[in-house]
Amino acid sequence: MNKLYDQAVELLEKLIKIPSFSTEEKLTADCIESFLNDHEVFTIRKYNNIWCYNKYFDPSKPIILLNSHHDTVKPNDQYTNDPFVPLIKDGRLYGLGSNDAGGPLVSLISAFLFFYERKDLPFNLCLAATAEEENSGRKGIKSILDDLMPISFAIVGEPTNMQMAIAEKGSMVLDCVSTGRPGHAAREEGDNAIYKALKDIHWFSSYVFPIESNLPNPVKMTVTQINAGIQHNIVPGECSFTVDIRFDHSYTEKEILNTIKNHTFCDTTLRPNVLTPSAIDLLHPLVRTGIAIGRKTYISPTSSDQGWLEMPSVKMGPGDSARSHSADEYIYLAEISDGITIYINLLESIFPYLVNDSSLDKQLYTPA
């Protein structure tokens, strides 16, 4: 276990040093591929996605997918540390992508290596280190789903404090444009597009979708970008803004868009690659095993590559989601160590739940 931990931290430090913004992950893909090959693991690659299977693969057994991503967002301007220089201080490893999702990724890789040469596994493992998660890109995990062996269920590595997210919200993005009429700012001319946009922005910030009492807000809409104006003395004729929307199973994509169109005056365009909400049955062996080893369940407000998966899955990994995309991002070294141990414990403990549950049959191990 100490060797697995040391290798995981060393690999994470290497990954931090390599810029890997979404669509620009070639060098981190090379690094991960080289690491696995050095451990005599045969890898398969498509674009910047790397995947592999346990050494003694048995097609008669279910396949568990271990997935996390190696792309990052761009560092914000509030960093005080160099985001590409790994720094260990006070038990923390600082660096861009250390928490989201470098820590979960290297912990899953370590767990995979722990089981890689086992001949007695009651399941198969497929490890997939994938790209373009942060921008829901077309060359990320969804580009390889048809290339993978049929997956039974999955563990998606994201920072969750090693608790199990048994459901997560979907995600979609709207580009909105409010149109006015340009004019001279010194005279009563024109129709200010910014003022028109503000009315709609206020609606996005305050509207609450109806839901039963005591349940969380099913739809969260946040204006995240705005752009208008070409010169200080010209009334802007156009104001564009972007809305990030997270939603659960209470409302469909179409219902949300219809509500927006009925309450706003701006023109809206839905970006492609909408992530759907996901959920797993509480009686699923993966969830029951997690609970049995002391993991808690919760509903995640964030979205991930879990939204592309059509098989049952949980989101689970070391680190804290609150640190993701923050300045001076970090992960505790102890979280990586615990993550490796808990992943291994989870996989070692799952077999009785696979074979002793009378409600299970082979349909469970067939992709949706």
Side-chain angles (χ1 to χ4, degrees):
M1 291 298 294
N2 288 337
K3 183 178 180 181
L4 287 173
Y5 164 76
D6 291 340
Q7 290 175 342
V9 173
E10 183 180 353
L11 175 59
L12 181 52
E13 289 179 311
K14 289 181 179 178
L15 293 174
I16 289 171
K17 293 177 182 178
I18 306 170
S20 55
F21 310 136
S22 300
T23 73
E24 302 174 18
E25 312 97 334
K26 180 184 182 302
L27 294 182
T28 46
D30 292 344
C31 178
I32 294 165
E33 186 174 32
S34 176
F35 175 86
L36 291 169
N37 293 163
D38 288 344
H39 286 79
E40 300 183 348
V41 176
F42 173 77
T43 55
I44 308 166
R45 180 166 181 164
K46 184 176 181 180
Y47 306 127
N48 294 321
N49 305 290
I50 310 293
W51 71 95
C52 48
Y53 300 92
N54 52 296
K55 186 173 183 178
Y56 298 100
F57 185 91
D58 184 343
S60 68
K61 298 175 181 178
I63 304 173
I64 303 174
L65 173 65
L66 308 178
N67 166 246
S68 191
H69 65 94
H70 57 96
D71 63 314
T72 72
V73 296
K74 294 184 177 180
N76 61 62
D77 58 8
Q78 295 186 11
Y79 264 81
T80 60
N81 302 324
D82 187 328
F84 302 111
V85 175
L87 170 67
I88 295 179
K89 182 179 179 182
D90 299 329
R92 301 173 177 182
L93 173 55
Y94 289 87
L96 182 65
S98 57
N99 180 77
D100 183 15
L105 174 62
V106 298
S107 299
L108 281 174
I109 290 174
S110 296
F112 174 82
L113 292 176
F114 179 86
F115 291 103
Y116 178 66
E117 295 193 5
R118 284 265 293 267
K119 296 181 179 180
D120 61 339
L121 289 179
F123 48 76
N124 297 297
L125 289 176
C126 173
L127 171 71
T130 50
E132 298 193 16
E133 188 273 347
E134 295 291 2
N135 70 337
S136 299
R138 62 184 181 86
K139 291 185 178 180
I141 189 173
K142 68 176 183 176
S143 71
I144 68 169
L145 290 177
D146 290 339
D147 299 300
L148 301 179
M149 298 280 194
I151 304 297
S152 303
F153 49 90
I155 300 172
V156 178
E158 290 282 346
T160 70
N161 294 305
M162 287 308 292
Q163 308 305 339
M164 293 189 301
I166 56 171
E168 70 169 10
K169 287 189 173 183
S171 170
M172 59 185 185
V173 180
L174 283 183
D175 290 311
C176 305
V177 178
S178 294
T179 303
R181 189 177 69 257
H184 199 296
R187 297 190 290 269
E188 295 297 325
E189 295 178 351
D191 184 11
N192 197 317
I194 293 179
Y195 297 159
K196 298 179 75 171
L198 284 175
K199 295 177 182 178
D200 286 342
I201 290 172
H202 179 264
W203 179 86
F204 279 113
S205 69
S206 58
Y207 184 78
V208 177
F209 280 76
I211 191 64
E212 297 177 26
S213 59
N214 300 321
L215 290 178
N217 190 355
V219 181
K220 185 178 187 302
M221 302 183 292
T222 307
V223 176
T224 55
Q225 293 176 297
I226 186 169
N227 184 60
I230 57 174
Q231 194 168 305
H232 76 91
N233 59 352
I234 299 176
V235 173
E238 183 175 288
C239 179
S240 61
F241 58 96
T242 302
V243 186
D244 178 277
I245 302 174
R246 309 299 170 110
F247 61 103
D248 63 19
H249 291 89
S250 302
Y251 289 90
T252 66
E253 171 191 324
K254 184 176 180 180
E255 288 171 335
I256 295 170
L257 291 175
N258 285 340
T259 300
I260 292 171
K261 290 178 180 178
N262 289 334
H263 288 82
T264 60
F265 297 93
C266 56
D267 295 322
T268 59
T269 302
L270 177 65
R271 292 186 187 178
N273 299 330
V274 174
L275 282 171
T276 58
S278 59
I280 188 173
D281 195 312
L282 282 171
L283 296 178
H284 191 281
L286 187 57
V287 179
R288 295 177 63 200
T289 305
I291 293 173
I293 66 170
R295 300 299 94 198
K296 297 178 181 179
T297 62
Y298 75 104
I299 298 175
S300 173
T302 60
S303 303
S304 70
D305 276 342
Q306 192 177 16
W308 300 120
L309 303 181
E310 296 181 345
M311 72 289 294
S313 63
V314 299
K315 185 167 67 175
M316 178 182 184
D320 190 332
S321 180
R323 300 182 211 135
S324 300
H325 306 177
S326 64
D328 296 335
E329 181 182 350
Y330 68 87
I331 188 168
Y332 285 101
L333 294 173
E335 290 176 322
I336 297 174
S337 177
D338 290 344
I340 296 170
T341 301
I342 293 170
Y343 278 143
I344 291 173
N345 189 16
L346 177 68
L347 292 169
E348 284 190 321
S349 303
I350 198 171
F351 182 51
Y353 294 92
L354 292 176
V355 298
N356 294 331
D357 193 325
S358 60
S359 67
L360 302 181
D361 56 30
K362 291 183 179 179
Q363 289 294 322
L364 175 68
Y365 306 119
T366 303

